[in-house]
Amino acid sequence: MVKKIAAVAGGVFIGLIIAFARVGAFPFWGSDSNAPKPPPAQQAQAAPAEPLPAPPVPGVHVAPAPPNAPEPTEKVGVITSFAPLVKRMIPAVVSVNVVQDVKISGMPFGIAPGGPGDDNGGDEENGGGGGGDQGGGGGMPPGDPFDQLRRYFGQGGQREYKQHGLGSGVIVSADGYILTNNHVVGNADEIHVTLQDKREFTAKVIGKDAKTDLGLIKIDTKDALPVATLGDSNSTDVGDWVIAIGNPFNVGMTVTAGIVSAKGRILGGDYDDFIQTDASINPGNSGGPLINTRGEVIGINTAIYSRTGANNGIGFAIPIDMARNVMDQLKAHGRVVRGWLGVEIQEVTPDLAQSFGLPKPEGALVASADKDGPAGKGGIERGDIVLSFNGHPVNDEHELPALVAQTPINQKVPVEVVRNGKHVSLEVTIGERKEPQVASAKSEEPGGNWGMQVGDITPEIAQEFHLESTKGVVIQKVAPDSPSAEAGLQAGDVVLEVNHEKIAALADFIAKAKEAQTQKKPALLLVQRGGATLYTVIKPAGSAQG
């Protein structure tokens, strides 16, 4: 009997515990999630919905959100897939394969030197190669044990092989115009374009611009092509999602995603204003588009920062606003016409800012002004600090060249400078920037190449090579293993005479060089190097004696 009473009492006790648990007196572990949901009516009574915020009233100021909180009008959301965007955009991206005929002197054991393409998107030092991102030698049999002997005894001669390169491009018009990099197509002899649907075309160069590393090519087709929409890179913000599309390593069209990690990056050029991204960019991506989440091209991928040649998470794209301006000029004129102010500028450091009475370092300090140029005629003087140009603030010395370059020729623009601590407003009429003429001392005959590149001595060239003389022509580049290199000539040397004939300008040098090369005789050059002058003899190519 006692056992029965105890069992009944225990059952009652357990029942009470369960009853209390159901009403929430002391919930068991997990009882919240396992408890049955009350009817909708009970839910509404237990937790009444919060009232919707009232719509904004016109003219009433909305207080900003607290720090680190979203702004009231800020768009927030989660991207679950880029697939619809990629499906729409990828048909407008193409692969660009280039071929360049290369002539070299006989090399020991048949080893061909590397071509103009490099891992970081072309040979910047040589103005943008033309071999694409991935240079590939070919055409020379390896392991020739007699080649070194032939070279030693002057019998190697010149060899030719085809240098292959790779890049990407984006279709910008239905009739076949394609925007890509200058270092991909710059000096190519053949350009082959492959569309996403596997169709192949031969392309021609419409125009190229080494200063921005942009090139415009065209293919001819009767069918309308898919076209990419060009966006607004100025409205792009750091932190925005972006997609890079291209053909890295020739593995096929590839899509990578990342964010805009910085804007306004300077890599050493006069017109640099790169968008930095961590979207994976590798050799072969050059010339392909950087796309925002609206499916608009905001940049043209051009370079990576890497010590190995592979992606390290820092890639650079040319802003589409700059690329669009260059593209329009290449399409209309085949070249880019840039504005010219006629000044040399330098950075305003904190010490200089204090010396010139500025509250903070800003603007561009005028180190010199061409008295016959637009700046000089407009009243700009050495020592002025340019704070504003044509209504745009000049935050540092990198911004002024780009602003000037984009200004139409002969347009009058307001310029604000600080002079002796006072703000001065000026008006300047922009001139056209004349690119220095450059020519190679070569003829069409075999062995007629001296292997040097020369140009007129412009103020920019004089500054680059620290020249004081304006007479003669300056040697800008000397090819290795060339007659010029064997004669001891160097970049920065100024050629004053060829065979005792004075050289006043580039035209004089070209005429005398062609005359000497046609005769295939050694030429005597008088060269100025620094503060000294010296004579040297250039022998025709192929005149080496065993």
Side-chain angles (χ1 to χ4, degrees):
M1 180 64 67
V2 176
K3 293 182 178 180
K4 290 183 179 181
I5 296 173
V8 172
V12 172
F13 181 72
I14 293 174
L16 291 174
I17 292 175
I18 294 174
F20 280 121
R22 284 185 176 275
V23 298
F26 48 91
F28 289 117
W29 294 310
S31 61
D32 286 345
S33 59
N34 297 326
K37 301 294 183 182
Q42 295 180 10
Q43 288 184 5
Q45 295 176 0
E50 294 184 3
L52 296 175
V57 179
V60 177
H61 174 70
V62 178
N68 300 325
E71 294 292 336
T73 59
E74 183 177 336
K75 295 181 180 180
V76 294
V78 177
I79 298 176
T80 58
S81 175
F82 290 115
L85 173 62
V86 171
K87 185 177 181 179
R88 186 171 77 250
M89 294 299 303
I90 204 168
V93 185
V94 303
S95 296
V96 181
N97 291 273
V98 298
V99 180
Q100 181 179 358
D101 294 327
V102 178
K103 295 181 180 180
I104 62 170
S105 300
M107 296 294 290
F109 303 105
I111 299 175
D118 67 14
D119 289 333
N120 292 321
D123 187 350
E124 295 181 359
E125 184 178 352
N126 293 313
D133 282 346
Q134 291 174 279
M140 296 184 69
D144 183 353
F146 300 102
D147 188 68
Q148 189 175 24
L149 295 177
R150 286 194 293 269
R151 175 176 171 82
Y152 182 80
F153 288 105
Q155 299 174 9
Q158 283 193 330
R159 297 191 178 204
E160 298 183 9
Y161 73 100
K162 291 187 179 295
Q163 167 84 30
H164 294 266
L166 173 68
S168 303
V170 57
I171 302 173
V172 292
S173 69
D175 56 349
Y177 283 93
I178 297 171
L179 190 60
T180 184
N181 282 148
N182 173 67
H183 79 253
V184 173
V185 299
N187 292 327
D189 295 298
E190 301 175 31
I191 304 174
H192 304 283
V193 170
T194 304
L195 305 186
Q196 182 65 16
D197 60 10
K198 306 302 181 183
R199 285 184 292 167
E200 296 185 0
F201 298 87
T202 299
K204 61 180 179 180
V205 175
I206 301 301
K208 53 190 179 180
D209 181 51
K211 292 187 180 297
T212 56
D213 193 24
L214 289 168
L216 184 66
I217 61 177
K218 188 178 187 302
I219 59 176
D220 293 325
T221 175
K222 297 180 181 178
D223 302 324
L225 299 175
V227 179
T229 301
L230 305 186
D232 177 13
S233 53
N234 280 335
S235 64
T236 301
D237 293 323
V238 174
D240 284 350
W241 280 105
V242 286
I243 302 169
I245 305 179
N247 184 13
F249 302 111
N250 204 23
V251 298
M253 206 56 64
T254 301
V255 179
T256 56
I259 64 169
V260 173
S261 47
K263 292 180 64 178
R265 288 300 196 213
I266 308 297
L267 301 182
D270 290 336
Y271 308 112
D272 288 359
D273 186 27
F274 291 110
I275 298 172
Q276 181 180 316
T277 177
D278 65 349
S280 182
I281 297 174
N282 284 292
N285 276 107
S286 289
L290 190 69
I291 301 168
N292 63 19
T293 54
R294 292 187 296 274
E296 301 166 337
V297 179
I298 60 166
I300 301 297
N301 299 320
T302 189
I304 60 176
Y305 181 83
S306 174
R307 294 179 180 178
T308 63
N311 174 67
N312 279 349
I314 299 180
F316 302 96
I318 304 162
I320 200 62
D321 293 345
M322 177 187 295
R324 183 189 288 109
N325 177 272
V326 171
M327 178 186 68
D328 291 342
Q329 294 199 55
L330 293 178
K331 188 174 182 179
H333 312 294
R335 66 186 185 95
V336 178
V337 178
R338 292 186 170 90
W340 177 57
L341 187 59
V343 295
E344 293 181 8
I345 56 176
Q346 67 183 78
E347 177 187 5
V348 179
T349 64
D351 290 339
L352 287 173
Q354 184 177 6
S355 299
F356 283 93
L358 293 178
K360 62 178 182 179
E362 60 180 338
L365 175 59
V366 178
S368 67
D370 186 347
K371 64 179 181 180
D372 296 322
K377 293 179 180 179
I380 295 179
E381 301 175 359
R382 176 189 295 154
D384 288 348
I385 296 180
V386 180
L387 296 181
S388 173
F389 178 88
N390 199 19
H392 298 279
V394 178
N395 296 307
D396 56 46
E397 77 280 8
H398 298 296
E399 295 185 356
L400 184 59
L403 291 172
V404 174
Q406 297 174 14
T407 305
I409 309 305
N410 297 323
Q411 178 175 323
K412 290 186 178 180
V413 298
V415 180
E416 181 185 357
V417 303
V418 170
R419 180 182 299 166
N420 299 324
K422 298 181 180 179
H423 288 254
V424 179
S425 296
L426 303 170
E427 191 175 68
V428 177
T429 301
I430 298 302
E432 179 180 351
R433 180 183 176 93
K434 300 293 184 180
E435 301 297 340
Q437 285 184 297
V438 177
S440 295
K442 64 181 179 180
S443 66
E444 297 300 325
E445 295 133 5
N449 192 350
W450 280 356
M452 70 167 71
Q453 198 173 57
V454 299
D456 283 323
I457 303 177
T458 64
E460 294 82 7
I461 294 296
Q463 181 184 16
E464 178 182 356
F465 291 104
H466 307 288
L467 304 177
E468 297 182 358
S469 174
T470 58
K471 298 178 180 179
V473 294
V474 63
I475 299 176
Q476 296 178 332
K477 296 173 186 174
V478 175
D481 298 324
S482 65
S484 294
E486 293 177 0
L489 294 172
Q490 305 173 5
D493 288 349
V494 177
V495 181
L496 301 175
E497 295 180 1
V498 174
N499 288 335
H500 301 292
E501 297 287 341
K502 292 187 180 298
I503 303 299
L506 183 62
D508 298 334
F509 176 83
I510 292 175
K512 297 301 179 184
K514 285 186 176 180
E515 180 181 347
Q517 292 167 358
T518 301
Q519 297 175 356
K520 295 186 178 180
K521 293 182 179 180
L524 178 66
L525 270 63
L526 177 62
V527 175
Q528 179 177 336
R529 181 178 299 167
T533 56
L534 56 95
Y535 281 102
T536 186
V537 175
I538 291 185
K539 296 180 181 180
S543 63
Q545 302 296 319

